[in-house]
C-alpha cells in the first residue's frame, strides 16, 4: 500500500513539473510570439505618435529636421518590418528599429529646446531590444 501511495505522489509531482516546464517561454527571459509582436507594435505606434506631434508645428531647425527625417525613415522601415515579422527575433528587429527612431525624436526635441524626458526610451547599447526581453526606460 505504501509503495502505491509513493508511486502516485511521484506521478503527480512529475505531471505538475511537466505542465510548468511546458508553460514556460522558450529560454530564460524569452518572449512569446504574441508578446514580442505586442512589444514591437507598441514601439512602432509610439514612434508614429511622437512624429505626428512634430508635424503639427515644429520650428525650423536644421538639426531637428535631420533628426526628424531619420526618425520618419525608421518609422517607415519599422512598419514594413512589422508587416512581415513572424518570429520573436524578427519582432526584436522591429523593436530595435523603432527605438532607434525614438532616439532620433529625442535628439530633435533637444535640438528644439523641448523637454527630452517626455521621449524617454530604452538604451540601445544595453541590447535589450536585441534579446527580446522587456525594456527598461532610461531617464537620460
Amino acid at each position: 500500500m505504501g509503495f502505491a501511495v509513493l508511486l502516485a505522489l511521484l506521478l503527480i509531482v512529475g505531471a505538475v513539473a511537466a505542465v510548468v516546464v511546458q508553460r514556460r517561454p522558450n529560454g530564460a527571459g524569452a518572449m512569446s510570439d504574441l508578446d514580442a509582436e505586442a512589444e514591437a507594435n507598441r514601439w512602432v505606434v509610439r514612434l508614429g505618435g511622437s512624429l505626428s506631434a512634430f508635424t503639427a508645428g515644429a520650428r525650423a531647425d536644421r538639426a531637428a529636421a535631420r533628426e526628424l527625417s531619420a526618425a520618419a525613415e525608421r518609422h517607415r522601415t519599422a512598419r514594413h518590418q512589422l508587416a512581415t515579422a513572424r518570429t520573436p527575433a524578427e519582432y526584436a528587429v522591429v523593436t530595435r528599429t523603432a527605438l532607434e527612431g525614438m532616439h532620433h525624436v529625442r535628439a530633435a526635441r533637444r535640438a528644439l529646446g523641448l523637454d527630452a524626458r517626455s521621449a524617454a526610451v530604452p538604451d540601445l547599447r544595453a541590447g535589450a531590444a536585441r534579446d527580446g526581453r522587456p525594456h527598461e526606460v532610461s531617464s537620460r
Side-chain angles (χ1 to χ4, degrees):
M1 180 75 172
F3 178 73
V5 171
L6 181 62
L7 182 62
L9 284 175
L10 286 175
L11 288 173
I12 291 171
V13 169
V16 169
V19 168
V20 168
V21 168
Q22 284 182 343
R23 289 187 178 218
R24 290 170 90 188
N26 299 334
M31 294 179 128
S32 73
D33 291 358
L34 291 176
D35 289 339
E37 181 180 9
E39 176 80 357
N41 191 50
R42 178 175 73 100
W43 285 108
V44 171
V45 168
R46 184 168 172 195
L47 175 57
S50 296
L51 287 170
S52 68
F54 278 104
T55 59
R59 297 187 302 247
D61 180 87
R62 286 182 186 217
R66 274 194 313 272
E67 295 295 343
L68 289 174
S69 177
E73 179 59 33
R74 296 309 186 288
H75 184 247
R76 282 189 296 277
T77 301
R79 283 182 28 214
H80 175 71
Q81 291 170 333
L82 185 60
T84 60
R86 297 291 175 261
T87 66
E90 291 170 338
Y91 289 121
V93 171
V94 174
T95 300
R96 184 170 182 80
T97 302
L99 289 173
E100 288 172 1
M102 289 299 297
H103 282 280
H104 286 289
V105 167
R106 196 164 171 216
R109 291 182 66 82
R110 280 193 186 127
L112 293 171
L114 300 172
D115 182 19
R117 287 179 290 165
S118 64
V121 294
D123 188 3
L124 288 172
R125 292 171 293 174
R130 254 180 282 139
D131 62 12
R133 283 186 272 152
H135 307 283
E136 291 184 22
V137 177
S138 70
S139 59
R140 284 191 290 142

